[in-house]
């Protein structure tokens, strides 16, 4: 893959008016992306489970610009209401990708977006949000380039979504997506996420992710600032090597279904992500006391029951509980008995592996 293939030749027709709607899921990384180089090039490869229910649906209506103005032009509704806070991120995104979608300078867009997960739940909406928007824009481009293959549309959508939010490039397809060059995956690239096409043991089919909403407020340090702190981080290089090794380890685990090793890699990745935050300068913490209590309860429960339940964390305090479908009832009972007390307003979201984005 190279960036040149995403710069289109001149469009033949005029830009019509229309509307397109896409639903893109969130994703949860097993090997974490943490640290990047300019133009959203990841410092290490990552791999994620695509979720099913936690998603963003975005409609984009488009029409030729009425006045001849420079740059991109859009209005934005979030859950039916104007949302000024989102404008700067989308302005930057559209500006960055207009080189790959030149029609953006000639249209006015009406973007209408909403999430399935509760507003300010602490679940990052940037991955699903940027993925859904990138897909809508690719659908508009497909109208101008009718010969475009569906596979190219998805690939370029992932390439574009990456430029909005790195992890968004893993929200286009499913159920497992890899992003970033890795020696064991010849097709892998820093430019986009690719659906993982290695062997996957049936234990991972319909794998469950129950998200405990431990803290629903805004993060005190953004992911952008966190990635930047990896630039001068004393442990950065060793960490990047470790991510490569953990990804190699997971490739083996996907094939054999070795859940003990899966748990070891996934929990270590989550704790390492937060350890990187705690050892940057300035250092910071995104876990809350409830996060630690939940982790300790999970370890005790696993010890007592041998249920292969493990956790992972995003850049926040919420805890993702990962486990095979066959343990669903047991784990949900455990959550009700012991973990719900640590969730803000007792809230949690039952999700599972999903197939990726869909046109609505
Ligand atoms: O996509 P960003 O820039 O918001 O970074 C997200 C990074 C983590 O969610 C912490 C890890 C990951 O790989 O998704």
């Amino acid at each position: 893959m190279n960036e040149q293939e995403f710069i289109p030749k001149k469009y033949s027709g005029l830009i019509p008016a229309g509307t397109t709607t896409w639903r893109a899921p969130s994703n949860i990384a097993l090997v974490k992306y943490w640290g990047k180089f300019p133009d959203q090039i990841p410092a290490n490869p990552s791999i994620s489970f695509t979720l099913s229910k936690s998603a963003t649906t975005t409609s984009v209506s488009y029409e030729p610009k009425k006045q001849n103005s420079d740059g991109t032009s859009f209005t934005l509704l979030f859950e039916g209401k104007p949302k000024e806070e989102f404008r700067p991120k989308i302005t930057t995104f559209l500006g960055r990708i207009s080189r790959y979608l030149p029609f953006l300078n000639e249209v006015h867009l009406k973007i209408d977006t909403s999430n399935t997960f509760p507003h300010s739940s602490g679940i990052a909406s940037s991955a699903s949000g940027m993925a859904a928007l990138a897909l809508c824009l690719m659908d508009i481009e497909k109208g101008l380039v009718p010969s475009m293959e569906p596979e190219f549309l998805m690939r370029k959508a992932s390439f574009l979504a990456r430029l909005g939010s790195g992890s968004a490039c893993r929200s286009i397809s499913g159920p497992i997506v890899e992003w970033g060059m890795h020696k064991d995956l010849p097709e892998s690239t820093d430019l986009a996420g690719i659906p993982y096409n290695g062997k996957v043991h049936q234990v991972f089919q319909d794998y469950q992710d129950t998200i405990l909403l431990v803290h629903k407020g805004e993060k005190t340090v953004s992911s952008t600032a966190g990635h930047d702190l990896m630039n001068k981080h004393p442990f950065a290089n060793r960490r990047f090597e470790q991510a490569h090794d953990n990804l190699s380890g997971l490739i083996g685990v996907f094939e054999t279904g070795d859940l003990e090793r899966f748990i070891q890699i996934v929990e270590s990745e989550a704790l390492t992500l937060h350890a990187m935050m705690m050892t940057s300068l300035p250092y910071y913490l995104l876990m809350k006391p409830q996060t630690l209590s939940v982790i300790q309860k999970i370890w005790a429960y696993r010890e007592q029951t041998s249920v292969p339940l493990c956790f992972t964390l995003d850049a926040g305090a919420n805890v993702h509980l990962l486990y095979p479908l066959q343990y669903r009832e047991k784990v949900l009972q455990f959550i009700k008995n012991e973990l719900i007390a640590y969730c803000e307003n007792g809230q949690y979201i039952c999700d599972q592996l999903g197939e990726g984005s869909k046109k609505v």
Side-chain angles (χ1 to χ4, degrees):
M1 192 181 287
N2 72 66
E3 158 312 295
Q4 289 305 318
E5 68 182 282
F6 300 124
I7 300 178
K9 305 200 179 68
K10 246 187 152 13
Y11 303 128
S12 45
L14 288 175
I15 292 165
T19 301
T20 172
T21 304
W22 282 77
R23 180 183 195 274
S26 189
N27 71 77
I28 181 69
L30 304 174
V31 172
K32 310 289 181 182
Y33 148 60
W34 199 240
K36 64 178 169 184
F37 305 123
D39 298 330
Q40 306 273 97
I41 297 299
N44 65 259
S46 58
I47 196 161
S48 51
F49 280 161
T50 303
L51 298 185
S52 170
K53 289 188 205 145
S54 308
T56 299
T57 301
T58 298
S59 290
V60 176
S61 303
Y62 51 99
E63 57 181 16
K65 263 187 197 167
K66 296 219 165 64
Q67 285 134 353
N68 230 345
S69 56
D70 283 343
T72 57
S73 161
F74 69 95
T75 51
L76 174 72
L77 294 181
F78 175 68
E79 288 169 1
K81 297 195 192 89
K83 186 92 176 168
E84 282 307 306
E85 300 100 282
F86 287 179
R87 277 196 76 86
K89 212 170 174 186
I90 293 182
T91 305
T92 307
F93 177 52
L94 296 179
R96 221 181 246 174
I97 63 173
S98 60
R99 172 174 148 73
Y100 307 104
L101 296 176
F103 75 82
L104 283 178
N105 294 315
E106 291 162 45
V107 287
H108 176 75
L109 306 173
K110 263 193 223 155
I111 305 170
D112 191 343
T113 186
S114 59
N115 297 330
T116 57
F117 39 89
H119 181 44
S120 335
S121 59
I123 297 189
S125 57
S126 58
S128 52
M130 289 297 176
L133 180 54
L135 284 158
C136 289
L137 299 177
M138 279 312 297
D139 212 24
I140 301 173
E141 185 172 62
K142 178 160 172 41
L144 299 167
V145 184
S147 61
M148 187 186 295
E149 296 289 338
E151 195 265 339
F152 178 85
L153 185 150
M154 299 303 261
R155 206 147 43 102
K156 183 165 170 183
S158 176
F159 169 85
L160 297 174
R162 183 194 103 241
L163 296 170
S165 168
S167 57
C169 77
R170 300 189 313 242
S171 271
I172 304 293
S173 53
I176 303 175
V177 178
E178 193 276 346
W179 168 40
M181 295 251 277
H182 187 273
K183 68 173 175 47
D184 298 342
L185 300 169
E187 315 243 292
S188 62
T189 164
D190 288 342
L191 299 182
I194 52 164
Y196 179 70
N197 63 8
K199 238 177 133 191
V200 180
H201 191 277
Q202 58 92 26
V203 74
F204 294 109
Q205 272 227 330
D206 301 319
Y207 220 71
Q208 302 290 297
D209 179 5
T210 304
I211 311 164
L212 304 185
L213 304 180
V214 162
H215 179 74
K216 305 199 294 170
E218 290 274 312
K219 293 190 281 201
T220 47
V221 180
S222 70
S223 288
T224 309
H227 287 293
D228 282 351
L229 290 173
M230 287 305 281
N231 284 331
K232 291 190 178 143
H233 198 291
F235 307 143
N237 288 335
R238 184 63 198 101
R239 157 61 196 153
F240 301 147
E241 282 168 23
Q242 179 201 39
H244 280 266
D245 294 346
N246 280 341
L247 185 42
S248 294
L250 269 190
I251 291 171
V253 163
F254 286 143
E255 190 164 347
T256 58
D258 178 352
L259 290 184
E260 209 173 301
R261 183 82 182 110
F262 177 78
I263 290 170
Q264 200 177 50
I265 293 173
V266 168
E267 291 190 345
S268 165
E269 274 289 320
L271 294 176
T272 301
L273 169 70
H274 285 259
M276 290 298 114
M277 299 172 193
M278 295 195 288
T279 48
S280 10
L281 266 183
Y283 41 80
Y284 62 105
L285 268 173
L286 293 183
M287 290 190 277
K288 299 279 174 201
Q290 302 90 302
T291 313
L292 294 180
S293 300
V294 167
I295 291 174
Q296 279 167 330
K297 289 267 177 192
I298 291 171
W299 285 341
Y301 177 76
R302 203 162 67 219
E303 183 76 32
Q304 284 156 17
T305 63
S306 300
V307 171
L309 164 68
C310 72
F311 71 87
T312 187
L313 307 166
D314 244 334
N318 294 333
V319 185
H320 289 245
L321 267 53
L322 302 177
Y323 51 97
L325 176 63
Q326 70 175 109
Y327 296 102
R328 191 180 145 88
E329 293 316 314
K330 275 191 176 161
V331 172
L332 291 180
Q333 199 55 54
F334 166 57
I335 292 171
K336 282 184 194 133
N337 294 347
E338 297 200 43
L339 302 184
I340 210 165
Y342 302 106
C343 301
E344 212 173 307
N345 305 325
Q347 275 185 295
Y348 59 93
I349 296 171
C350 294
D351 213 328
Q352 63 179 49
L353 252 75
E355 290 307 315
S357 302
K358 290 264 154 9
K359 187 168 172 163
V360 180

